[in-house]
């Protein structure tokens, strides 16, 4: 029982940090942070980043990493955009087909990562660096460096419409976060993912098919990229190779900040979601105060190192304690 | 003969084989590839990568990774750009300044990874985003131009210059000395010094290394500081070649360096990697880029090829290892 309490306290600490940041920026901006306009922009902005971070999280939970995240999203977006901007298709077909192609191709790219990582046992970082370059190359080839635009009118709804006052991107993000939460923390499959992350050998010997679990994790990661790509191309009304390029390392920051262990085996969806909000809040707050965007990078880096260092110091304090007890 | 056979058993054999095949294909496609001028060109364009990769090699052998290397090189170029235009000095002082700046950032990474025990990728990710912000804040994204001659002329200096009758000349570029020096130094450190052996030991198994008497914290810190020094050296050479300081020149450079080191046979999980392999890895990547230009393949295809080659090289490596392990198991059973 004690353990569970200790673990959820991490989430509360993060919530506290988030609240402090909101209050800080709220006061500093003279309440402008809470104006409907800013909140509206915020709600439309963070889901694409959030979905990518969730995709990164599942990979990190297994002790891996997915460096190809952003290039997967870019390539999926480009493939989807090629269908969407095809004048030969009528509007409904174009949109349906475009969404299917976008999400489907992202899953396929995830499957490629998963196949190499799970079946050949190649370290995930290397595989995904390889596929990152590969997908980027294919994207460049398809667009020749330019942008694709000219989508059907109704498609903008995906990125800028609302249902019952809730922006569709936000809705999509909430749905995926809840699904991921249920999948990881409430099903046997999720249990396997965590087990695999903490000790693959023991997991293998307890009769779990590591290959199948890992493969699905990377397909899931790809799926998140596909959804993020949908929101991105709809919001920008066009697509290009380097859309979202700055997100890659930020997603790792968000996941680690959210309390997920970078070596796998531990991490909560709630923690990641709050960390995503913290990072996006810092960005929005700095924008609002008119502070140079570069301070955001410095700040996020500093926060990341500070949180980790605090955790590690806490951890080593614990170790010393137990050592002393053993001696006694 | 025994020696030759041993060479093929080595881990680098796979990459050397692929390297030779690729070279044959490129030569068939365009026989200008093997001309001395082109080979010199390939080597010169990859010196910066080659020096940086040597630093990255040490970190990767310890089982870590340094994704901040690109931005560390950038901030050193900015520092030496400012230093040489505002303070002056000479090449020797400039190299010292560059290496010291690089070492300072390396030390920061080293403390975070070794003493605070942060995962290497996250710690360097953090320093990377901080340095990235600092560089752009200080320079405003602008170039630094009009560097003094001793640095901007570095790329044009040759030893043993021989003028050819039909114009043009051959010579030994001075900047190659930097690369050769770095290679020899790294080889010596890894092979013949206590800390070098410690790097392999710590990369293989931290606890065993500690029991044998190495101090993992010091060894790890050394690896990151050495990477910083190599980054400093790479920054000097880069500035000597391009003759301006561009704050965005090394965007995405870290991935290329990591790819080159890994293609060169180093194990990302730590414990294995050689200077020879890494240098071949760097030249190999350079040859691919150069070969594709020579074969008139559109630049858009180059990334696809590089991605595929990384995937193939890494997969072959792992499959080879798995097969070797299986064979060892079999021997055990027979005995």
């Amino acid at each position: 029982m004690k353990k569970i309490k200790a673990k959820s306290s991490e989430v509360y600490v993060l919530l506290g940090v988030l609240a402090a940041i909101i209050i800080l920026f709220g006061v500093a901006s003279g309440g402008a942070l809470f104006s409907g306009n800013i909140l509206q922009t915020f709600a439309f902005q963070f889901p694409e980043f959030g979905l990518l971070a969730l995709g990164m999280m599942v990979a990190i939970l297994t002790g891996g990493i997915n460096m190809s995240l952003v290039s997967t999203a870019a390539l999926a977006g480009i493939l989807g955009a090629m269908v969407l901007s095809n004048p030969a298709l009528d509007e409904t077909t174009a949109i349906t087909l475009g969404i299917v192609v976008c999400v489907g191709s992202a899953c396929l790219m995830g499957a490629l990562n998963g196949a190499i990582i799970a079946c050949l046992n190649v370290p995930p970082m290397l595989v995904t660096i390889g596929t990152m370059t590969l997908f980027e190359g294919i994207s460049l080839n398809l667009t020749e460096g330019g942008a694709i635009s000219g989508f059907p009118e109704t498609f903008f709804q995906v990125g800028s419409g609302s249902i019952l006052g809730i922006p569709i991107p936000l809705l999509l993000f909430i749905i995926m976060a809840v699904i991921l939460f249920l999948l990881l923390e409430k099903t046997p499959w999720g249990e396997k993912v965590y087990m695999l992350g903490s000790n693959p050998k023991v997991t293998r010997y307890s009769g779990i098919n590591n290959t199948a679990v890992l493969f699905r994790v990377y397909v899931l990661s790809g799926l998140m990229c596909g959804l993020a790509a949908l929101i991105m191309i709809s919001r920008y009304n066009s697509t290009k190779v380097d859309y979202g390029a700055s997100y890659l390392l930020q997603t790792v920051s968000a996941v680690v900040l959210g309390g997920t262990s970078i070596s796998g085996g531990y991490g909560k969806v709630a923690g990641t979601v709050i960390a995503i909000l913290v990072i996006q809040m810092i960005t929005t707050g700095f924008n609002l105060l008119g502070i140079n965007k570069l301070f955001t990078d410095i700040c996020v880096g500093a926060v990341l190192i500070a949180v980790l260092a605090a955790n590690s110091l806490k951890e080593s304090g614990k170790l010393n304690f137990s050592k002393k007890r053993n001696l006694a | 003969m025994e020696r030759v056979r041993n060479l093929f058993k080595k881990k680098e054999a796979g990459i050397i084989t692929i390297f030779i095949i690729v070279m044959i294909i490129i030569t068939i496609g365009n026989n200008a590839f093997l001309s001395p001028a082109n080979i010199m060109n390939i080597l010169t364009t990859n010196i910066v990568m080659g020096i940086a990769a040597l630093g990255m090699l040490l970190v990767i052998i310890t089982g870590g990774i340094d994704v901040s290397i690109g931005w560390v090189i950038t901030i050193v170029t900015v520092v030496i750009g400012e230093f040489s235009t505002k303070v002056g000095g000479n090449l020797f002082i400039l190299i010292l300044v560059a290496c010291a700046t690089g070492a300072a950032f390396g030390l920061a990474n080293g403390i975070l990874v070794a003493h605070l025990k942060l995962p290497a990728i996250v710690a360097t990710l953090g320093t990377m985003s901080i340095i990235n912000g600092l560089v752009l804040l200080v320079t405003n994204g602008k170039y630094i131009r009009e560097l003094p001659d001793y640095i901007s002329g570095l790329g044009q200096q040759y030893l043993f210059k021989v003028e050819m009758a039909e114009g043009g000349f051959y010579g030994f570029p001075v900047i190659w000395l930097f690369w050769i020096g770095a290679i020899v130094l790294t080889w010596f450190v890894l092979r013949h010094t206590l800390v070098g052996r410690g790097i392999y030991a710590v990369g293989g198994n931290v606890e065993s290394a500690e029991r044998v008497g190495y101090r993992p914290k010091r060894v790890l810190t050394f690896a990151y500081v050495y990477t910083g020094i190599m980054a400093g050296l790479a920054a000097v050479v880069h500035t000597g070649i391009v003759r301006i300081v561009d704050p965005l020149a090394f965007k995405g450079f870290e991935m290329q360096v990591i790819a080159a080191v890994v293609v060169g046979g180093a194990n990302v999980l730590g414990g294995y990697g050689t200077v020879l392999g890494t240098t071949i890895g760097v030249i190999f990547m350079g040859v691919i880029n150069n070969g594709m230009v020579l074969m008139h393949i559109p630049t858009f295809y180059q990334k696809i090829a590089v991605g595929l080659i990384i995937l193939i090289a890494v997969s072959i490596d792992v499959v080879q290892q798995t097969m070797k392990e299986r064979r060892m198991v079999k021997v055990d059973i027979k005995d």
Side-chain angles (χ1 to χ4, degrees):
Chain A
M1 263 327 274
K2 227 180 188 177
K3 214 175 176 187
I4 294 171
K5 242 185 194 170
K7 279 187 176 176
S8 47
S9 81
E10 257 172 39
V11 176
Y12 291 133
V13 169
L14 260 176
L15 263 180
V17 172
L18 179 62
I21 290 175
I22 291 176
I23 293 169
L24 194 76
F25 282 127
V27 171
S29 64
L33 185 66
F34 305 114
S35 71
N37 209 353
I38 298 287
L39 287 182
Q40 190 79 3
T41 322
F42 185 77
F44 280 110
Q45 247 171 18
F46 88 92
E48 56 190 47
F49 168 60
L51 284 169
L52 288 176
L54 290 178
M56 181 63 91
M57 181 192 173
V58 281
I60 289 183
L61 278 182
T62 62
I65 195 162
N66 188 355
M67 304 297 259
S68 68
L69 215 60
V70 168
S71 26
T72 304
L75 181 51
I78 286 165
L79 289 172
M82 289 173 87
V83 176
L84 279 166
S85 58
N86 192 338
L89 298 167
D90 70 276
E91 205 168 307
T92 336
T93 346
I95 292 176
T96 332
L97 217 65
I99 293 175
V100 169
V101 166
C102 183
V103 177
S105 63
C107 288
L108 271 181
M109 286 178 252
L112 176 66
N113 279 332
I116 302 175
I117 293 167
C119 302
L120 293 180
N121 252 328
V122 185
M125 173 170 256
L126 302 182
V127 174
T128 50
I129 286 180
T131 49
M132 174 179 85
T133 326
L134 181 67
F135 297 157
E136 243 176 64
I138 298 174
S139 306
L140 270 173
N141 238 339
L142 291 175
T143 61
E144 307 208 317
I148 301 178
S149 55
F151 307 146
E153 282 287 328
T154 10
F155 184 66
F156 301 148
Q157 287 299 319
V158 176
S160 45
S162 320
I163 297 175
L164 300 172
I166 306 170
I168 292 179
L170 182 62
L171 205 63
L172 202 59
F173 173 72
I174 293 173
I175 292 172
M176 286 321 289
V178 170
I179 289 178
L180 199 63
F181 166 73
L182 293 175
L183 207 56
L184 284 175
E185 294 174 31
K186 300 289 169 202
T187 66
W189 184 77
E191 195 69 22
K192 287 177 196 167
V193 172
Y194 283 103
M195 278 171 73
L196 183 65
S198 55
N199 194 332
K201 247 183 209 159
V202 172
T203 316
R204 181 81 200 84
Y205 289 141
S206 32
I208 289 164
N209 187 349
N210 281 3
T211 317
V213 175
L214 257 183
F215 180 74
R216 279 180 203 152
V217 160
Y218 283 91
V219 174
L220 189 60
S221 186
L223 171 69
M224 296 291 181
C225 299
L227 294 173
L230 265 188
I231 300 177
M232 262 194 269
I233 58 175
S234 162
R235 233 164 54 83
Y236 300 139
N237 184 24
S238 71
T239 183
K240 227 178 134 194
V241 181
D242 51 358
Y243 277 177
S246 60
Y247 282 147
L248 177 61
L249 298 176
Q250 274 189 30
T251 57
V252 181
S253 310
V255 172
V256 174
L257 198 63
T260 302
S261 155
I262 191 89
S263 44
Y266 178 73
K268 288 193 162 207
V269 176
T272 310
V273 170
I274 298 171
I276 293 164
L277 291 175
V278 167
I279 291 184
Q280 197 65 38
M281 210 65 200
I282 295 178
T283 319
T284 312
F286 276 12
N287 265 341
L288 200 59
L289 297 177
I291 298 173
N292 194 329
K293 190 196 149 292
L294 298 169
F295 276 112
T296 322
D297 290 342
I298 301 179
C299 227
V300 170
V303 167
L304 181 68
I305 287 176
V307 168
L308 278 169
N311 281 348
S312 122
L313 288 176
K314 211 170 68 187
E315 202 68 4
S316 60
K318 262 183 210 159
L319 279 180
N320 286 341
F321 181 61
S322 63
K323 250 185 205 166
K324 269 177 205 159
R325 268 179 60 178
N326 281 346
L327 280 175
Chain B
M1 211 42 220
E2 188 63 21
R3 271 202 163 172
V4 176
R5 222 172 279 155
N6 275 340
L7 194 71
F8 278 101
K9 273 187 198 153
K10 270 193 178 169
K11 231 181 136 190
E12 282 77 17
I15 169 81
I16 294 176
T17 319
I18 301 177
F19 191 25
I20 293 171
I21 294 171
V22 168
M23 289 225 284
I24 292 171
I25 294 173
I26 298 174
T27 317
I28 293 170
N30 186 341
N31 53 14
F33 172 71
L34 280 181
S35 69
N38 188 49
I39 290 173
M40 272 178 70
N41 177 23
I42 293 173
L43 291 177
T44 308
T45 41
N46 286 290
I47 291 180
V48 179
M49 168 88 80
I51 296 173
L54 290 171
M56 184 67 86
L57 172 69
L58 259 70
V59 170
I60 285 185
I61 295 174
T62 65
I65 200 154
D66 184 354
V67 291
S68 70
I69 193 161
W71 284 103
V72 172
I73 299 178
T74 313
I75 203 165
V76 176
T77 57
V78 173
V79 168
I80 59 177
E82 292 286 336
F83 184 84
S84 62
T85 46
K86 304 234 164 86
V87 182
N90 57 37
L91 187 61
F92 182 69
I93 294 175
L94 201 70
I95 292 172
L96 276 187
V97 168
C99 290
T101 319
F105 287 103
L107 185 64
N109 280 333
I111 288 172
L112 290 175
V113 173
H115 293 265
L116 288 175
K117 297 217 163 56
L118 302 192
I121 181 164
V122 189
T124 51
L125 211 58
T127 48
M128 169 182 150
S129 82
I130 294 176
I131 298 172
N132 170 4
L134 278 179
V135 166
L136 295 180
L137 212 59
V138 170
T139 60
N140 246 331
K142 282 187 195 125
Y143 290 176
I144 301 174
R145 296 166 197 277
E146 286 160 15
L147 302 171
D149 280 344
Y150 65 83
I151 176 70
S152 62
L154 192 62
Q156 271 73 45
Q157 280 174 16
Y158 295 87
L159 295 176
F160 318 119
K161 204 162 157 179
V162 181
E163 301 277 348
M164 301 303 280
E166 65 270 26
F169 57 87
Y170 285 109
F172 185 87
V174 171
I175 38 174
W176 284 16
L177 288 178
F178 284 85
W179 195 6
I180 294 169
I183 289 173
V184 173
L185 180 67
T186 314
W187 172 81
F188 182 80
V189 167
L190 279 179
R191 264 299 169 87
H192 296 288
T193 64
L194 201 57
V195 69
R197 303 319 290 171
I199 285 173
Y200 282 106
V202 169
N205 188 330
V206 182
E207 277 172 27
S208 315
E210 200 164 9
R211 280 191 194 137
V212 176
Y214 289 112
R215 297 185 191 179
K217 281 183 185 170
R218 286 193 190 178
V219 171
L220 274 176
T221 314
F222 173 81
Y224 285 91
V225 171
Y226 190 85
T227 306
I229 295 173
M230 285 297 136
L233 213 56
V236 173
V237 174
H238 175 77
T239 317
I241 295 173
V242 302
R243 307 161 83 180
I244 49 164
V245 173
D246 172 9
L248 292 175
F250 288 96
K251 238 179 152 188
F253 186 69
E254 57 279 346
M255 292 303 166
Q256 292 174 36
V257 176
I258 295 167
V261 174
V262 168
V263 166
N267 184 353
V268 253
L269 303 176
Y272 186 82
T274 59
V275 173
L276 174 73
T278 301
T279 308
I280 292 175
V282 170
I283 297 174
F284 180 55
M285 300 298 252
V287 161
I288 290 171
N289 284 329
N290 174 273
M292 281 199 269
V293 175
L294 288 184
M295 286 164 80
H296 304 293
I297 297 172
T299 38
F300 299 129
Y301 285 100
Q302 291 183 13
K303 277 213 156 154
I304 299 183
V306 173
L308 279 177
I309 282 163
I310 296 174
L311 282 181
I312 293 169
V314 177
S315 304
I316 285 178
D317 187 40
V318 173
V319 170
Q320 239 175 11
Q321 232 172 309
T322 328
M323 273 164 45
K324 205 166 136 198
E325 270 164 30
R326 267 192 210 146
R327 238 177 277 138
M328 279 159 78
V329 172
K330 266 183 202 156
V331 173
D332 275 351
I333 294 166
K334 271 179 194 163
D335 282 347

